[in-house]
Amino acid sequence: MEKEHTLVSGQLDKSELQYTSVEAIGGIVSTLRESFASGTMRDISFRKQQLRALLKGLREDKKALLDALYHDLHKSHAESLYAEFDSVEYEIGQYLDNLDKWLKPSRNPLASVQPALLLSKSEVRKEPLGVVVIIGAWNYPLRLVLLPTIGAIAAGNTVVLKPSELAPHTAQALQNMVTRNMDSSVIRVVQGGIEESTALLKERFDHYFYTGSGSVGRIIARAAADHLAGVTLELGGKSPAIVHADVADLVPTAFRIMWSKLANSGQTCVATDYLLIHRSIKDKLVPLLVEAVAGMYGKSPKESPDYGRIINARHWNRLMGALSATEGTQIAVTDDLPDEGDLYFPPTIVDGVRPGDSLMKDELFGPILPIITYDTLEEAISLVNSRDQPLALYVFAKSDSAEAVVSRTRSGSATVNDTMFILASQSNPFGGVGPSGVGSYQGRHTLDTFSHHRHVMKRPIWFPTPGVDSIRGPPFTGKENGWKVNLSRQMVYPSLWSLRDSTLGKLVTLIPFWRTLATIPGFVRALVQSKPIIHRRKD
């Protein structure tokens, strides 16, 4: 049964909206570190229980969370379900179904590759890092904090969760849900702005996970460096969409581009930031882009229950400033105008934009689509490569042209004949490269991000014999020790096929068990000639 909540009016109760005191932050982190050290998270079944508790809380607080997203971003319930709520539920399901398999140690052959490791056993275990901090963003304030949290808990870490204060309704609803349903020895929520975040980053964490802007990402990276801890930065950038002359169908192309541009009012890190269109098809595509807007939101998106709002006045004015300074030509798209009081910014298409235009300086993060026209695919590729690597790249073209773009550019992800629908593929990693981010997550890749891959090798104490074992250490000089170097090389680092120059030598590597067979003469000689380094005492 969905619970009622106090946020339906659109105004937070001041008694509920409380930042975490700066003085309390250190104690919260210490409590979670003590909990981790006590072994709270060792039991995989307990981790699953916490994930089930999170799922229970999501379902019980569904209305509260959906209403909170509406109050913060004017995000419709349907879009919130599709883009945030359902993806989190699906991620929990992935982990409950697969966690045992994903945590199973991986084993690699040893003796068949390196004879010195005969009778040894080796495995790589995924072990938790410790106490991690996850700092979320305001544009998808549910999805962007809970997806990494699911993987962090599944990996066995304790978690400090810091929602964005710019989406206060969702931050509060999220804290209410977590506090009521999850164990406080596993996860704690810290609320606050710059002062509280600064205090939080002074604490030592074993991994820092942040989603947001590059400027804040640098601050997070410095905090991680100060503690020699790992860091994952999910940032952004100007993600282009290229529409080449050989694209198969302009109708779905137009719809998919405008969907990605206008979902959440363009406030998506992988939204199409700007459009590169081949000159031969521009006049056909642009009217379809306008038609796609009307088809989704009508001629007055302000009246549409599905069209969002800009998060706050500062970002609204940032968009207006960039649009006012453009030298491009605005194309008539809607019947209504920007409204600062309502934080409404209409879908806007600007043609004739040049690479140095005001709309091309920074990530737009809003419903403005600049159009740049190109004549050759080489020209489009060069323009993309002249900028920082984006978080995403989209290309609409036939196979050969699309592959030319993908293989000759760099981006966090790339999609052919679609846009940000790639985010629905939660079994694959999502992350940036260069200025668009560090590291990746989603599905089992989040587990990898929040795990230490610990190599454990077990060897028998009785093998090899002390004399043969002496090949690893001195003395190496003298005729009586000359056999050591050759045998150690054969046993530890045998000469592989690609390291051999002669045809005969390469053919030898085709013989089954050639590595072990090659060591037999030296092994026998070692048994005969070797002397133990330490002599056993009879007592």
Side-chain angles (χ1 to χ4, degrees):
M1 182 177 178
E2 295 174 349
K3 294 182 178 179
E4 292 297 328
H5 58 99
T6 61
L7 308 181
V8 292
S9 67
Q11 299 294 323
L12 282 167
D13 185 324
K14 291 183 179 180
S15 66
E16 285 191 290
L17 184 57
Q18 293 184 355
Y19 284 2
T20 306
S21 71
V22 171
E23 293 75 17
I25 291 174
I28 290 172
V29 178
S30 295
T31 298
L32 290 174
R33 191 165 296 283
E34 290 169 5
S35 173
F36 178 80
S38 71
T40 299
M41 300 298 288
R42 283 199 195 104
D43 189 350
I44 297 176
S45 63
F46 177 70
R47 304 179 197 176
K48 290 181 181 179
Q49 185 271 326
Q50 288 300 297
L51 295 182
R52 291 190 185 96
L54 176 58
L55 179 61
K56 174 177 173 288
L58 280 169
R59 290 176 171 175
E60 290 183 346
D61 286 19
K62 187 174 184 177
K63 178 174 172 53
L65 291 164
L66 293 177
D67 284 353
L69 288 164
Y70 179 82
H71 293 315
D72 286 329
L73 290 151
H74 202 270
K75 192 178 292 191
S76 71
H77 282 196
E79 184 174 335
S80 292
L81 283 170
Y82 176 76
E84 303 218 45
F85 197 91
D86 290 347
S87 67
V88 174
E89 276 208 357
Y90 180 80
E91 191 82 339
I92 294 173
Q94 282 203 97
Y95 273 93
L96 292 176
D97 288 351
N98 298 295
L99 185 56
D100 290 324
K101 178 176 65 177
W102 289 348
L103 284 175
K104 188 176 181 180
S106 60
R107 293 178 173 84
N108 299 307
L110 295 177
S112 62
V113 178
Q114 295 172 283
L117 301 177
L118 187 67
L119 302 180
S120 299
K121 295 180 180 180
S122 187
E123 64 183 23
V124 178
R125 303 175 182 177
K126 293 179 182 177
E127 299 188 347
L129 298 174
V131 184
V132 304
V133 61
I134 297 172
I135 302 175
W138 53 261
N139 57 327
Y140 288 85
L142 190 67
R143 175 189 179 117
L144 295 181
V145 290
L146 290 184
L147 286 188
T149 296
I150 292 163
I153 290 173
N157 302 283
T158 53
V159 179
V160 172
L161 193 61
K162 169 62 177 69
S164 173
E165 72 280 9
L166 298 184
H169 295 83
T170 310
Q172 188 61 59
L174 184 64
Q175 182 175 8
N176 294 345
M177 185 266 292
V178 168
T179 302
R180 281 199 302 265
N181 292 277
M182 303 188 72
D183 195 317
S184 62
S185 67
V186 172
I187 182 170
R188 298 286 294 275
V189 178
V190 169
Q191 303 278 22
I194 294 176
E195 182 182 3
E196 291 76 16
S197 297
T198 301
L200 185 64
L201 292 178
K202 290 180 181 179
E203 299 295 325
R204 179 174 69 86
F205 292 98
D206 299 292
H207 195 89
Y208 295 71
F209 191 107
Y210 168 74
T211 302
S213 69
S215 57
V216 177
R218 289 180 174 87
I219 296 172
I220 305 295
R222 283 193 289 270
D226 286 343
H227 294 105
L228 296 178
V231 63
T232 302
L233 303 175
E234 299 297 335
L235 307 177
K238 295 185 74 66
S239 298
I242 299 173
V243 184
H244 196 48
D246 60 1
V247 61
D249 192 338
L250 289 176
V251 171
T253 298
F255 168 70
R256 293 173 185 183
I257 288 171
M258 293 314 298
W259 166 70
S260 81
K261 178 79 268 187
L262 300 179
N264 201 29
S265 286
Q267 298 167 116
T268 306
C269 58
V270 290
T272 301
D273 190 274
Y274 64 100
L275 186 56
L276 292 163
I277 309 179
H278 192 273
R279 190 177 302 278
S280 66
I281 59 171
K282 190 185 80 171
D283 290 343
K284 295 179 181 178
L285 179 59
V286 171
L288 294 175
L289 297 174
V290 175
E291 186 177 343
V293 176
M296 288 187 285
Y297 301 106
K299 291 298 289 182
S300 181
K302 186 177 183 181
E303 306 304 321
S304 170
D306 298 314
Y307 192 78
R309 297 296 185 268
I310 304 305
I311 185 67
N312 56 33
R314 180 172 68 86
H315 282 282
W316 189 93
N317 282 294
R318 174 184 59 79
L319 291 169
M320 282 300 298
L323 184 61
S324 300
T326 183
E327 296 181 0
T329 302
Q330 289 191 51
I331 295 173
V333 178
T334 67
D335 292 339
D336 44 28
L337 299 173
D339 181 351
E340 183 178 2
D342 190 33
L343 296 177
Y344 169 72
F345 206 103
T348 305
I349 299 175
V350 183
D351 194 11
V353 173
R354 297 181 178 275
D357 193 86
S358 61
L359 297 177
M360 294 299 293
K361 289 182 180 179
D362 300 304
E363 182 180 7
L364 288 170
F365 225 63
I368 304 172
L369 182 63
I371 295 178
I372 297 177
T373 307
Y374 71 90
D375 293 299
T376 67
L377 194 59
E378 181 65 38
E379 182 184 348
I381 292 172
S382 295
L383 193 148
V384 171
N385 287 336
S386 70
R387 311 184 67 87
D388 289 339
Q389 303 98 307
L391 187 55
L393 179 144
Y394 310 118
V395 54
F396 292 82
K398 287 187 176 178
S399 180
D400 289 347
S401 300
E403 181 56 32
V405 172
V406 172
S407 63
R408 295 171 59 192
T409 56
R410 298 176 65 200
S411 61
S413 64
T415 307
V416 175
N417 293 327
D418 210 331
T419 52
M420 63 184 189
F421 198 68
I422 192 173
L423 288 180
S425 179
Q426 287 183 206
S427 297
N428 292 294
F430 170 72
V433 59
S436 62
V438 176
S440 61
Y441 74 116
Q442 282 195 157
R444 68 183 303 167
H445 304 282
T446 314
L447 186 73
D448 290 336
T449 291
F450 287 106
S451 298
H452 169 57
H453 293 230
R454 187 184 188 191
H455 179 202
V456 177
M457 185 168 69
K458 299 177 181 179
R459 288 173 54 78
I461 195 67
W462 53 269
F463 183 86
T465 61
V468 177
D469 205 19
S470 70
I471 64 170
R472 72 174 80 189
F476 297 111
T477 56
K479 292 182 179 181
E480 68 278 12
N481 295 308
W483 57 273
K484 284 188 175 183
V485 174
N486 288 334
L487 181 58
S488 65
R489 183 182 183 189
Q490 292 171 342
M491 292 187 69
V492 183
Y493 303 114
S495 184
L496 303 175
W497 186 89
S498 59
L499 301 177
R500 295 175 180 242
D501 296 324
S502 70
T503 301
L504 180 60
K506 291 180 181 293
L507 290 174
V508 167
T509 65
L510 302 179
I511 300 173
F513 306 108
W514 67 268
R515 295 175 178 85
T516 303
L517 292 173
T519 66
I520 291 177
F523 199 86
V524 172
R525 186 177 180 186
L527 290 173
V528 174
Q529 294 186 356
S530 65
K531 297 179 181 179
I533 301 298
I534 301 174
H535 294 278
R536 292 187 180 277
R537 299 178 181 178
K538 294 182 179 180
D539 57 352

